[in-house]
């Protein structure tokens, strides 16, 4: 039992290191095959969340043939999808790549009702905000669960300048 837990922890540790941008093709593929979107940590982050956080487009491309839209919609304990995480950390290339795979990811809300656009604005990630703001939002409510809107976040974090100028 202990050796199983140790082996699993070691595999997760290697997979996490592979998300940092290295070219560990086999480690990512093997981990994906064995664990898929199983949470890797106590926050509920999956391998896809870590790839997004670290801006590892290459890692997503390796997994792409085996990745479904449902995989990209997987949420951590806070309700963040990989797109939310890429938006939060300003990983522009990952945001663009995820939107090419599935545009409707922009409509997914986290536990407090924030879309990736809101998260980008609240994190002060202007370049990502502009990319997301150029998407069609006819179906999206721009309001969080507490009533604050994307406009609140854009003003508070000075994201409006690039978009509205």
């Amino acid at each position: 039992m202990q050796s199983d837990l140790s082996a699993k922890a070691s595999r997760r540790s290697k997979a996490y290191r592979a998300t940092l941008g290295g070219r560990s093709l086999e480690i990512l593929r093997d981990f994906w095959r064995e664990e898929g979107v199983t949470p890797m940590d106590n926050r509920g982050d999956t391998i896809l969340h870590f790839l997004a956080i670290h801006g590892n487009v290459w890692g997503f491309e390796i997994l792409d043939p085996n990745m479904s839209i449902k995989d990209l919609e997987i949420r951590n304990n806070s309700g963040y999808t990989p797109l939310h995480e890429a938006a939060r950390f300003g990983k522009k290339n990952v945001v663009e790549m995820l939107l090419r795979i599935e545009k409707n990811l922009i409509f997914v809300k986290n536990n407090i009702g924030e879309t990736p656009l809101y998260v980008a604005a609240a994190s002060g990630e202007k370049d990502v905000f502009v990319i997301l703001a150029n998407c069609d939002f006819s179906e999206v409510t721009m309001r969080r669960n507490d009533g604050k809107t994307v406009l609140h976040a854009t003003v508070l974090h000075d994201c409006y300048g690039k978009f509205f100028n």
Side-chain angles (χ1 to χ4, degrees), residues 51-64:
L51 288 169
I53 289 166
H54 297 298
N56 190 337
V57 173
W58 178 82
F60 276 102
E61 290 172 354
I62 289 170
L63 303 180
D64 188 314

Side-chain angles (χ1 to χ4, degrees), residues 99-145:
L99 291 176
R100 278 192 303 274
I101 294 171
E102 179 55 52
K103 270 229 188 276
N104 288 332
L105 291 171
I106 62 171
F107 301 124
V108 178
K109 293 184 176 186
N110 65 16
N111 293 351
I112 59 173
E114 297 170 336
T115 61
L117 175 69
Y118 194 105
V119 170
S123 300
E125 296 297 341
K126 295 175 185 178
D127 292 339
V128 171
F129 174 80
V130 170
I131 292 166
L132 294 169
N134 285 319
C135 295
D136 176 20
F137 285 97
S138 58
E139 301 173 37
V140 171
T141 303
M142 293 287 144
R143 193 172 301 276
R144 278 192 337 187
N145 296 348

